[in-house]
């Protein structure tokens, strides 16, 4: 159950973040014929690289290929539809530990994918992607308000927090090589941070300010620091025992070390440290997930008794 809850949180967050990114990226590609050359089809290859999806034999994927592989494909957990269906399949087996409202939200979302895709084919992909964003927000809102904040809820939030930190790192890596990469207002929209950033820093969307906000802001719930703090709080509650020296939790150790580094980081030095810091962040997410799997999700093989001679 713990493993299913952890991956349900990750899958729903992955669908939400991918929908945000694909929505703004495809919108920019379709509305900027000058940037790609007049008459040329848009190349969505960088979008696949950003999400870590293998292009296989597709040399130059266009918008149609990108939408199917990253949004509509029901068999790939890297696609939005595949992630939602994987989350629903797992949640079906743990309905006794999640609220009925949470299950109904996920079940309705899974059944609505086909109809939303048909609507997107008529009206544009924004219809499908907006549906996913709204349903993901509803899912986590219902989980927070209708589930007891016990270990089951903590595993769900833990998966969401690590997936969110990893996806924010990927988005920032795409914005590092600025003029070839994503522009900063687009990056803010992809992270759902545009309005919050404007209210905090005004209209001066400088790259350094944007990176600082998405990495270090303590109040914005989708920032890396906020996600790491939430993940560490879940790990502390899941393993409340204390030791006199060092840290005995291999999952909490890398998360806590990076959280401390970000909390005491000098914003003036952040632009020079950004590529290395984002690489470290992705490594920490992988290391923490592997440690969580070893600690909580490993299964022991049944004992095989030898027959008496």
């Amino acid at each position: 159950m713990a493993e299913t809850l952890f991956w349900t949180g990750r899958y729903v967050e992955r669908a939400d973040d991918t929908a945000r990114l694909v929505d703004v990226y495809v919108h920019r590609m379709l509305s900027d014929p000058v940037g790609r050359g007049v008459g040329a089809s848009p190349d969505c290859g960088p979008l696949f690289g950003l999400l870590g999806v293998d292009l296989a034999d597709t040399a130059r994927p266009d918008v149609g290929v990108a939408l199917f592989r990253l949004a509509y494909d029901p068999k790939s957990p890297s696609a939005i539809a595949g992630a939602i269906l994987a989350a629903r399949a797992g949640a079906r087996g743990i309905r006794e530990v999640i609220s009925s409202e949470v299950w109904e939200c996920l079940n309705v979302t899974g059944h609505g994918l086909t109809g939303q895709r048909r609507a997107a084919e008529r009206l544009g992909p924004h219809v499908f992607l907006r549906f996913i964003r709204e349903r993901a927000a509803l899912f986590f809102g219902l989980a927070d308000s209708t589930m007891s904040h016990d270990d089951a809820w903590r595993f769900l939030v833990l998966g969401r927090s690590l997936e969110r930190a990893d996806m924010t790192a990927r988005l920032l890596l795409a914005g590092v090589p600025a003029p070839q990469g994503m522009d900063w207002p687009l990056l803010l929209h992809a992270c759902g941070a545009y309005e919050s950033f404007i209210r905090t820093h005004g209209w001066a969307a400088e790259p350094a300010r944007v990176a600082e906000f998405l990495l270090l802001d303590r109040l914005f719930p989708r920032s890396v620091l906020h996600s790491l703090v939430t993940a560490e709080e879940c790990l502390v509650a899941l393993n409340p025992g204390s030791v006199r020296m060092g840290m005995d939790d291999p999952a909490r150790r890398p998360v806590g070390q990076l959280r401390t580094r970000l909390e005491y980081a000098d914003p003036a030095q952040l632009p020079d440290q950004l590529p290395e810091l984002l690489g470290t962040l992705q490594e920490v997410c992988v290391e923490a997930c592997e440690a969580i799997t070893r600690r909580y999700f490993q299964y022991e093989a049944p004992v095989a008794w030898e027959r008496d001679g």
Side-chain angles (χ1 to χ4, degrees), residues 113-232:
L113 292 174
T114 302
Q116 291 296 322
R117 179 180 177 179
R118 287 198 294 264
E121 290 173 350
R122 300 193 312 272
L123 304 174
H126 177 71
V127 173
F128 180 89
L129 301 172
R130 181 182 60 189
F131 169 77
I132 296 297
R133 296 200 312 270
E134 292 174 350
R135 300 302 295 186
L138 178 61
F139 172 84
F140 286 119
L142 288 172
D144 286 342
S145 60
T146 63
M147 289 178 62
S148 296
H149 288 197
D150 53 10
D151 286 353
W153 175 83
R154 292 187 185 103
F155 275 111
L156 186 71
V157 173
L158 179 59
R160 179 192 67 183
S161 300
L162 291 177
E163 185 71 25
R164 181 173 291 178
D166 177 73
M167 183 61 75
T168 303
R170 293 177 182 273
L171 291 169
L172 281 168
L173 280 171
V176 169
Q180 292 81 16
M182 301 170 68
D183 55 78
W184 293 105
L186 180 68
L187 176 59
L188 288 168
H189 280 295
C191 294
Y194 187 76
E195 288 80 9
S196 294
F197 177 84
I198 295 301
R199 284 194 293 269
T200 304
H201 294 291
W203 295 94
E206 301 174 359
R209 286 283 191 178
V210 173
E212 176 186 337
F213 183 79
L214 294 177
L215 279 174
L216 307 181
D217 193 88
R218 292 183 173 88
L219 301 182
F220 181 60
R222 302 188 72 87
S223 74
V224 170
L225 179 57
H226 193 283
S227 298
L228 292 178
V229 169
T230 304
E232 189 175 14

Side-chain angles (χ1 to χ4, degrees), residues 19-289:
R20 293 174 181 275
L21 175 60
V22 171
D23 195 12
V24 296
Y25 195 96
V26 170
H27 177 76
R28 186 188 70 168
M29 295 295 295
L30 294 178
S31 61
D32 184 23
V34 177
R36 65 173 187 264
V38 178
S41 61
D43 180 15
C44 295
L47 183 58
F48 283 84
L50 175 61
L51 294 172
V53 178
D54 186 14
L55 281 173
D57 298 330
T58 307
R60 184 183 173 89
D62 57 13
V63 172
V65 173
L67 286 173
F68 176 78
R69 292 280 303 276
L70 300 177
Y72 303 143
D73 189 355
K75 298 181 180 179
S76 171
S78 298
I80 295 170
I84 292 294
L85 293 176
R88 189 187 68 160
R92 183 185 291 113
I94 55 168
R95 293 177 62 179
E96 64 272 21
V97 297
I98 60 176
S99 67
S100 59
E101 289 91 343
V102 170
W103 161 248
E104 288 170 3
C105 172
L106 199 52
N107 192 39
V108 170
T109 305
H111 283 295
L113 292 174
T114 302
Q116 291 296 322
R117 179 180 177 179
R118 287 198 294 264
E121 290 173 350
R122 300 193 312 272
L123 304 174
H126 177 71
V127 173
F128 180 89
L129 301 172
R130 181 182 60 189
F131 169 77
I132 296 297
R133 296 200 312 270
E134 292 174 350
R135 300 302 295 186
L138 178 61
F139 172 84
F140 286 119
L142 288 172
D144 286 342
S145 60
T146 63
M147 289 178 62
S148 296
H149 288 197
D150 53 10
D151 286 353
W153 175 83
R154 292 187 185 103
F155 275 111
L156 186 71
V157 173
L158 179 59
R160 179 192 67 183
S161 300
L162 291 177
E163 185 71 25
R164 181 173 291 178
D166 177 73
M167 183 61 75
T168 303
R170 293 177 182 273
L171 291 169
L172 281 168
L173 280 171
V176 169
Q180 292 81 16
M182 301 170 68
D183 55 78
W184 293 105
L186 180 68
L187 176 59
L188 288 168
H189 280 295
C191 294
Y194 187 76
E195 288 80 9
S196 294
F197 177 84
I198 295 301
R199 284 194 293 269
T200 304
H201 294 291
W203 295 94
E206 301 174 359
R209 286 283 191 178
V210 173
E212 176 186 337
F213 183 79
L214 294 177
L215 279 174
L216 307 181
D217 193 88
R218 292 183 173 88
L219 301 182
F220 181 60
R222 302 188 72 87
S223 74
V224 170
L225 179 57
H226 193 283
S227 298
L228 292 178
V229 169
T230 304
E232 189 175 14
E233 289 174 350
C234 292
L235 290 169
V236 171
L238 290 170
N239 182 32
S242 60
V243 293
R244 294 185 61 174
M245 293 177 291
M247 172 57 59
D248 65 340
D249 189 342
R252 183 182 167 191
R253 185 183 300 112
V255 173
Q257 289 173 343
L258 184 57
R259 187 265 308 161
T260 303
R261 179 180 176 183
L262 292 177
E263 281 190 330
Y264 294 94
D266 183 0
Q269 299 179 3
L270 188 61
D272 296 331
Q273 300 174 352
L274 190 57
E276 182 270 333
L277 185 59
L278 294 176
T280 301
L281 173 57
Q282 289 186 298
E283 294 173 1
V284 164
C285 290
V286 173
E287 183 180 353
C289 289

